[in-house]
Amino acid sequence: MRRNAILLAILLVGLGCSANDWPDGLRRVPGPDDAVGLIPWFSTMHYGLAIQPYKWPVPRPPVEGTVPVTGAEVPLPITPANLPAINAVPNPVERTATSLETGKARYEVYCQPCHGPGGAGDGLVNEKLLVTPSLLTDQAKRYTDGYLHAIVRHGRGIMPAYGDRVPGTDRWDVVNYVRVLQGRTP
Ligand code: HEC
């Protein structure tokens, strides 16, 4: 309390000075900032070690070892030129019970309507509208995890993209679950 009163007194004294009393030929009515600037240990704060958020470089680069939480994955739509890179993407999610549980839940919502409960291509939508391939063919079994992941994320041909609805590592969980449907041993 007493300290505030002292500061207030300093400010009022500062404001009470006429323009000519101020250093550097201040030719305007001094404001509170000018008064504060007269007190040496206040002005040194200006050069303190505090972060100067608007100084170059902006935005600041992340510190070394920062782990990105979004945008880490390079988008690789299925094009012939992208195929080698797509196939080289390793599946980072182990086939655990938790992964399969998430994969199954996502599959039932987003894949089953077309590809069917067991992946045979016999979903309800397929009966009426589309010709959905089975996921149990030798061809589908030979696809790499990276390729299945790319299909889920970007779609292919008339299959829509599900990347926005099956986000992040959930897509790998779906891939793991499709492998179970295909009867592949881990
Ligand atoms: C709206 C219907 C529909 C939904 C929903 C759907 N697909 Fe498809 N899917 C298709 C069609 C149609 C194709 C064939 C696309 C083509 O010819 O390129 C296909 C192709 C595929 C293939 C390639 C099969 C092959 O032998 O080449 C895979 C793998 C696949 N889908 C997985 C999935 C997964 C996993 C999901 C859920 C995230 C899913 N699909 C959701 C309709 C669908």
Side-chain angles (χ1 to χ4, degrees):
M1 247 352 255
R2 187 186 294 163
R3 195 158 160 196
N4 286 347
I6 294 172
L7 288 180
L8 189 64
I10 293 173
L11 282 179
L12 290 178
V13 168
L15 291 174
C17 299
S18 82
N20 292 334
D21 299 336
W22 287 80
D24 304 330
L26 192 69
R27 286 283 166 265
R28 55 186 161 78
V29 179
D33 283 349
D34 299 307
V36 169
L38 286 183
I39 307 163
W41 48 268
F42 267 159
S43 33
T44 56
M45 289 172 79
H46 183 77
Y47 304 102
L49 288 176
I51 291 171
Q52 317 270 322
Y54 297 106
K55 281 218 170 147
W56 190 88
V58 176
R60 280 168 190 274
V63 294
E64 211 182 313
T66 304
V67 180
V69 289
T70 55
E73 226 175 59
V74 184
L76 288 170
I78 299 173
T79 62
N82 278 346
L83 277 183
I86 288 173
N87 286 324
V89 176
N91 183 342
V93 179
E94 224 181 300
R95 199 206 277 189
T96 59
T98 324
S99 164
L100 292 180
E101 204 180 305
T102 311
K104 182 173 194 281
R106 299 287 177 271
Y107 181 92
E108 285 172 355
V109 173
Y110 296 111
C111 318
Q112 181 164 312
C114 293
H115 288 285
D122 53 355
L124 287 176
V125 173
N126 193 41
E127 273 177 26
K128 301 284 180 207
L129 287 172
L130 283 165
V131 184
T132 312
S134 164
L135 302 179
L136 312 178
T137 58
D138 285 342
Q139 167 176 286
K141 285 178 187 170
R142 273 198 305 271
Y143 287 153
T144 57
D145 281 9
Y147 188 74
L148 293 183
H149 181 265
I151 292 186
V152 175
R153 185 170 181 201
H154 300 288
R156 198 192 71 190
I158 54 169
M159 175 177 151
Y162 284 92
D164 54 343
R165 277 150 289 183
V166 186
T169 55
D170 287 13
R171 289 194 287 267
W172 292 108
D173 296 330
V174 170
V175 170
N176 286 341
Y177 184 67
V178 168
R179 292 307 192 198
V180 170
L181 294 180
Q182 291 177 338
R184 183 192 277 201
T185 45

